[in-house]
Amino acid sequence: YDLFIICDVGAYQCTYKLYGREVPMTPDAELRRLGERLPREIYLGSSSWNFPGWRGIVWGKLSSVTGLAERGLTAYAAYPVFRTAGIDRSYYRPLPTATYRQFADEVPDGFRFLVKAPQSVTDSQLRHPGTRRTEANPHYLDLKEAVETFVLPAAEGLGEKLGVLIFEMAQLPRELVRGPANAHRAIDEITSFLSELPQEHNGLKLTYGVEMRTHAIFTRRYIRALRPTGVRPVIGIHPTLPSVMRQINALKYLDAPDVESGPWQLKGDAVVRWSLADGGTFDGLKRDWAPFSALQEPNLVNREAIAWLMDLAHQSGVRGFAVANNKAEGCSPLTMRAIAESIEVLDRQSRLR
C-alpha cells in the first residue's frame, strides 16, 4: 500500500507520497508564523539543498533523502522562511534549459532562484585540480559564452522564478592588478563586460549581481564604474573578503553617495551570499560540521548585518535576497530562521516609528 500525507504550509498545500519521496518536516507554530510575517519581497534560503542531515529540520523524519538533488526542491520550498535557493552547481559546468525548467516546476510561484555563472567566464585562469598549475582562460569575460551558456538557459528555464544572475569574479593573479594602471584596467574590463549583458529576454527583466573576490580592485573607483551598469554588488561573507560592514558601506556609496549620515535607501536589489565562517576553510568545515544538522558557531554580528540589510530593502521598496551555506554557521536552515526572527524585530520597530 502507498501512504500519502497532506502538508499545509502557509499558502502552499501539497500532497506527498510518504515512502520513496522527499517530504517536508511539519513546521512548529513559531516557524510557521515567521514565514507568514516575513515581508513578501524578502527572499531567504540556502546555497543548495542536497543535505540529508536536514532530516527533522527541513525533511520529515520519515522522508527519503536519497534523491534530494533532483527531487528535493518541493520539500525545501515548504520550509516556511525559504523563498529562494542558490543554484551553485552551474558554477562548475553550464546547465541546460531543461534542468532549470525542472527546478522551476518544483517550487511555488513566489519562489526566486539565485543562479551562479560558470567559472569558465568568471575566472581569468584555468585551474588544474590537485595542482597549483594555472594558465590563462581564453573565455574569461567572454560575453557570447556567458549569454549562450548561462543567461539564456537560466532565463528560458526559470522564467519568472529567476531572481538574480550572479557573477562571482574569482580572485585575479597579483600580476594582473599590481599597480594603479593594471588595477584600473581590470576594473574597466569587468565593468565593460557587465554593461553589455542583455537587460531582458522575451519580456523578462534580467537582474545581475557581481561578487568581487579581488581586494585590490574593491575600491571606490570600482563602485563608481559599476554604477552605470545597473549590476548589483553582492555582499559576499567569506574569510577572504572585506568585512560585511565595509561591503554595506560600499553599497551605500553606490546608491546614496551624497548621504553622509542618517537614513538612506537602496536603489536596487540587495543580495547577500554567506559562504564560510570566519577563519574556516571549505574542506575543514565540511569535515568538522557534517552532516550540517546543528548550529556550530553562531555569528550574531553577521546575522544582524544581514537582517538590517534585508529590512533596509523592505523599507526601500526593493527585493532583498540572502542565502547561507551550511559552512557559515553549521546549518543554513537554522541560520535563516534566526535571521528571519531578527528581521521581524526590525520590521516591528519600523512600524512603531
Side-chain angles (χ1 to χ4, degrees), residues 23-348:
V23 298
M25 182 69 182
T26 301
D28 59 76
E30 177 62 19
L31 180 57
R32 183 192 293 261
R33 186 184 62 79
L34 274 175
E36 292 170 348
R37 295 191 180 184
L38 190 66
R40 184 63 265 175
E41 66 274 19
I42 301 304
Y43 299 85
L44 305 181
S46 177
S47 299
S48 187
W49 59 89
N50 185 18
F51 301 104
W54 292 354
R55 180 182 270 157
I57 301 171
V58 174
W59 326 121
K61 293 181 180 179
L62 297 178
S63 172
S64 167
V65 290
T66 59
L68 295 175
E70 294 76 24
R71 304 187 306 271
L73 265 173
T74 300
Y76 169 99
Y79 189 69
V81 300
F82 275 0
R83 296 177 183 167
T84 188
I87 301 178
D88 280 4
R89 71 180 75 173
S90 52
Y91 179 74
Y92 302 100
R93 63 181 60 85
L95 300 179
T97 300
T99 299
Y100 289 117
R101 186 170 293 119
Q102 178 186 341
F103 293 156
D105 289 343
E106 294 184 18
V107 297
D109 289 342
F111 199 92
R112 298 292 182 269
F113 288 95
L114 298 182
V115 193
K116 200 169 172 182
Q119 65 183 130
S120 58
V121 296
T122 61
D123 194 339
S124 68
Q125 304 297 299
L126 293 175
R127 304 177 190 274
H128 300 274
T131 74
R132 294 189 176 184
R133 187 166 63 88
T134 64
E135 57 187 280
N137 176 9
H139 293 294
Y140 175 58
L141 301 181
D142 185 323
L143 182 66
K144 184 174 183 290
E145 178 93 358
V147 171
E148 292 182 355
T149 68
F150 174 55
V151 176
L152 297 185
E156 291 173 2
L158 296 175
E160 294 291 340
K161 294 174 184 176
L162 172 60
V164 183
L165 296 158
I166 294 177
F167 290 84
E168 180 191 297
M169 307 307 300
Q171 185 168 349
L172 291 166
R174 291 181 182 178
E175 61 270 18
L176 296 184
V177 293
R178 184 178 290 119
N182 285 330
H184 296 170
R185 185 181 303 110
I187 290 172
D188 291 344
E189 289 174 350
I190 292 170
T191 54
S192 175
F193 164 79
L194 295 173
S195 70
E196 295 178 11
L197 292 167
Q199 299 302 300
E200 61 88 29
H201 178 66
N202 291 338
L204 176 68
K205 183 180 181 297
L206 302 177
T207 301
Y208 299 98
V210 58
E211 184 174 326
M212 176 52 64
R213 291 291 184 98
T214 306
H215 270 242
I217 60 176
F218 190 79
T219 61
R220 287 198 163 206
R221 183 188 181 98
Y222 165 69
I223 296 298
R224 288 196 300 270
L226 193 61
R227 190 177 290 138
T229 70
V231 175
R232 304 301 294 169
V234 173
I235 307 296
I237 305 179
H238 187 283
T240 64
L241 296 176
S243 71
V244 63
M245 292 313 301
R246 181 184 169 191
Q247 293 185 66
I248 289 177
N249 284 337
L251 187 57
K252 177 185 175 183
Y253 180 64
L254 177 76
D255 286 348
D258 298 326
V259 178
E260 295 184 3
S261 62
W264 58 283
Q265 289 199 323
L266 295 163
K267 292 184 178 179
D269 293 344
V271 185
V272 180
R273 296 178 68 249
W274 189 356
S275 300
L276 286 179
D278 292 343
T281 65
F282 182 90
D283 291 336
L285 294 176
K286 181 178 181 179
R287 179 191 64 240
D288 296 341
W289 290 358
F292 307 116
S293 57
L295 291 173
Q296 302 289 340
E297 291 184 8
N299 187 317
L300 300 184
V301 172
N302 286 345
R303 284 185 190 176
E304 294 305 310
I306 293 171
W308 182 88
L309 187 59
M310 295 299 101
D311 183 66
L312 179 62
H314 175 50
Q315 302 303 325
S316 302
V318 299
R319 299 181 302 179
F321 293 87
V323 294
N325 194 294
N326 281 323
K327 301 168 196 69
E329 293 189 323
C331 180
S332 56
L334 298 183
T335 293
M336 283 303 165
R337 177 173 183 159
I339 289 173
E341 291 170 350
S342 294
I343 292 172
E344 182 183 27
V345 171
L346 291 170
D347 187 48
R348 189 184 309 125

